[in-house]
Amino acid sequence: MDKTKTSIQPVEWRDGRLCLLDQRRLPAETVWLTFDDANTVAHAIHDMVVRGAPAIGITAAYAVVLAARHAWNIAGVNWKQAMTAPIARLEASRPTAVNLKWALDKMSDLYLALPDEQAPEQQLLELAVQIHQSDIEANHQMGRLGAELIETGSQVMTHCNAGALATGGFGTALGVIRQGVAEGRIEHVHVNETRPWLQGARLTAWELLNEDIACSLNADVAAASLMASGRISWIIVGADRIAANGDVANKIGTYGLAILAKYHRIGFMVVAPTSTIDWQLSDGDLIPIEQRSPAEVTQLAEKQIAPEGIDAVNPAFDITPASLIDVIVTEAGVVRQPTVETMKALQNGRNM
């Protein structure tokens, strides 16, 4: 199989409706859910039917199309007023992933500029498709840029799922890994299980096995031991939001991996499109961290594994300071040793 391609696309527009691959059911079942209402899409985002910042943004863009269709049908020339509530529900569905707001802002800018007397669906759909396709193209560019940094024959470690399932297709961190495998730079991938949702065990392992990429699964608590073995050259992860100074919000556990990588002198690479950078936030302390249900920690596959009545802390993300990151790979370029100055150079289109 050509490792620079993937047939996995978790978000599709079919026959005027939005279809999402239910990632809660993988790897045991491949189930597609179909949506024709923006409010149910907001629930699907919150419930992690779809997850991964780029995929969430793409999903939200298509949800705006559904919202506009409904608004036109119920309100006619007053359709713009009917858009306010569904947009707000979508924006509140996953507060950490900045791609969600980025996509909603782009869609909102368009619909607000359309004439009141014009049905908005087709033009909004064209923009949603453009956002989707641009994400896939950006993933391939990031894959090429990131792979160039990896020496031939390397072993790498990844956390959570930053693959085709988390994007429009191909992946951010897994895009680099796919490209690196195709070029002979990566010979083995160590996959962290990623508690409590097990996105690494359920999703990343599934993607890699489907494409015959050599990999092994490890418990999160084994990461330090594996790094100490001297076999791992890079930790490669995605991001849900990046602050203007290069601080990164990613799946809980990323911060600990970055500390371990620094101690073991292993490269730490963050891969994310520029739409993930929140230029309005000066540093990671300002990034909102989603707090999820304690049941995700106390239960496994809806089976209670902890004593009844125990409380649990369940932040979905943590913040990795820029000082622990070696490179941030975007489709616009690679930022080495991210700082306010090097990030600003990326924003201004200068060489980093």
Side-chain angles (χ1 to χ4, degrees), residues 302-318:
E302 300 184 349
K303 180 179 180 180
Q304 190 75 16
I305 59 172
E308 291 284 355
I310 186 69
D311 196 11
V313 177
N314 187 21
F317 307 93
D318 55 25

Side-chain angles (χ1 to χ4, degrees), residues 172-350:
T172 54
L174 285 197
V176 169
I177 289 170
R178 283 187 169 94
Q179 189 70 35
V181 169
E183 295 179 9
R185 298 173 184 270
I186 296 175
E187 65 178 20
H188 192 89
V189 185
H190 296 270
V191 180
N192 286 354
E193 61 180 349
T194 322
R195 282 280 293 152
W197 260 75
L198 299 174
Q199 295 99 320
R202 294 188 304 104
L203 305 178
T204 297
W206 180 78
E207 284 198 40
L208 296 177
L209 286 175
N210 276 350
E211 298 182 27
D212 297 321
I213 293 175
C215 62
S216 55
L217 179 67
N218 56 270
D220 292 348
V221 291
S225 179
L226 285 166
M227 290 188 210
S229 72
R231 288 178 286 169
I232 297 171
S233 301
W234 283 93
I235 312 298
I236 307 176
V237 301
D240 284 78
R241 190 181 298 213
I242 301 174
N245 71 336
D247 291 349
V248 168
N250 193 49
K251 184 55 57 187
I252 190 72
T254 303
Y255 177 33
L257 288 176
I259 293 172
L260 290 169
K262 182 68 72 174
Y263 178 82
H264 291 99
R265 298 179 181 176
I266 293 170
F268 195 89
M269 180 188 301
V270 175
V271 189
T274 51
S275 58
T276 302
I277 303 173
D278 190 339
W279 298 108
Q280 304 305 310
L281 298 187
S282 61
D283 58 64
D285 289 341
L286 300 174
I287 297 176
I289 300 299
E290 178 185 0
Q291 303 292 325
R292 295 186 63 83
S293 168
E296 294 177 356
V297 176
T298 60
Q299 297 178 7
L300 189 60
E302 300 184 349
K303 180 179 180 180
Q304 190 75 16
I305 59 172
E308 291 284 355
I310 186 69
D311 196 11
V313 177
N314 187 21
F317 307 93
D318 55 25
I319 305 298
T320 300
S323 59
L324 296 176
I325 298 167
D326 291 292
V327 292
I328 296 176
V329 177
T330 77
E331 79 281 12
V334 176
V335 180
R336 300 172 188 268
Q337 308 300 326
T339 62
V340 171
E341 290 72 25
T342 57
M343 291 295 291
K344 192 170 294 183
L346 174 71
Q347 185 181 24
N348 294 334
R350 301 196 303 270

Side-chain angles (χ1 to χ4, degrees), residues 24-294:
R24 303 168 302 179
R25 311 285 284 274
L26 292 171
E29 298 178 282
T30 302
V31 176
W32 285 87
L33 303 179
T34 303
F35 301 85
D36 55 16
D37 173 74
N39 293 330
T40 56
V41 175
H43 287 297
I45 293 172
H46 177 269
D47 294 343
M48 295 177 72
V49 170
V50 62
R51 25 74 47 210
I56 288 171
I58 293 163
T59 299
Y62 285 121
V64 174
V65 180
L66 297 176
R69 176 194 296 165
H70 180 69
W72 177 261
N73 288 339
I74 65 169
V77 295
N78 297 313
W79 62 273
K80 289 181 183 177
Q81 292 90 318
M83 294 285 285
T84 303
I87 294 286
R89 291 189 190 98
L90 287 164
E91 188 168 345
S93 59
R94 293 295 302 276
T96 303
V98 75
N99 303 64
L100 173 64
K101 187 176 188 306
W102 174 86
L104 290 174
D105 285 348
K106 286 185 72 72
M107 298 295 288
S108 295
D109 287 346
L110 175 58
Y111 89 70
L112 289 171
L114 294 175
D116 292 345
E117 64 276 8
Q118 176 182 322
E121 180 176 345
Q122 184 56 41
Q123 286 185 258
L124 287 169
L125 177 59
E126 289 173 3
L127 178 55
V129 171
Q130 179 185 329
I131 289 171
H132 192 169
Q133 293 304 313
S134 295
D135 181 73
I136 296 173
E137 293 168 8
N139 289 344
H140 282 278
Q141 174 67 358
M142 289 184 285
R144 290 186 288 269
L145 292 174
E148 289 177 357
L149 305 175
I150 300 171
E151 293 183 0
T152 299
S154 294
Q155 296 190 26
V156 303
M157 177 179 286
T158 191
H159 190 66
C160 194
N161 174 265
L165 290 168
T167 64
F170 197 61
T172 54
L174 285 197
V176 169
I177 289 170
R178 283 187 169 94
Q179 189 70 35
V181 169
E183 295 179 9
R185 298 173 184 270
I186 296 175
E187 65 178 20
H188 192 89
V189 185
H190 296 270
V191 180
N192 286 354
E193 61 180 349
T194 322
R195 282 280 293 152
W197 260 75
L198 299 174
Q199 295 99 320
R202 294 188 304 104
L203 305 178
T204 297
W206 180 78
E207 284 198 40
L208 296 177
L209 286 175
N210 276 350
E211 298 182 27
D212 297 321
I213 293 175
C215 62
S216 55
L217 179 67
N218 56 270
D220 292 348
V221 291
S225 179
L226 285 166
M227 290 188 210
S229 72
R231 288 178 286 169
I232 297 171
S233 301
W234 283 93
I235 312 298
I236 307 176
V237 301
D240 284 78
R241 190 181 298 213
I242 301 174
N245 71 336
D247 291 349
V248 168
N250 193 49
K251 184 55 57 187
I252 190 72
T254 303
Y255 177 33
L257 288 176
I259 293 172
L260 290 169
K262 182 68 72 174
Y263 178 82
H264 291 99
R265 298 179 181 176
I266 293 170
F268 195 89
M269 180 188 301
V270 175
V271 189
T274 51
S275 58
T276 302
I277 303 173
D278 190 339
W279 298 108
Q280 304 305 310
L281 298 187
S282 61
D283 58 64
D285 289 341
L286 300 174
I287 297 176
I289 300 299
E290 178 185 0
Q291 303 292 325
R292 295 186 63 83
S293 168

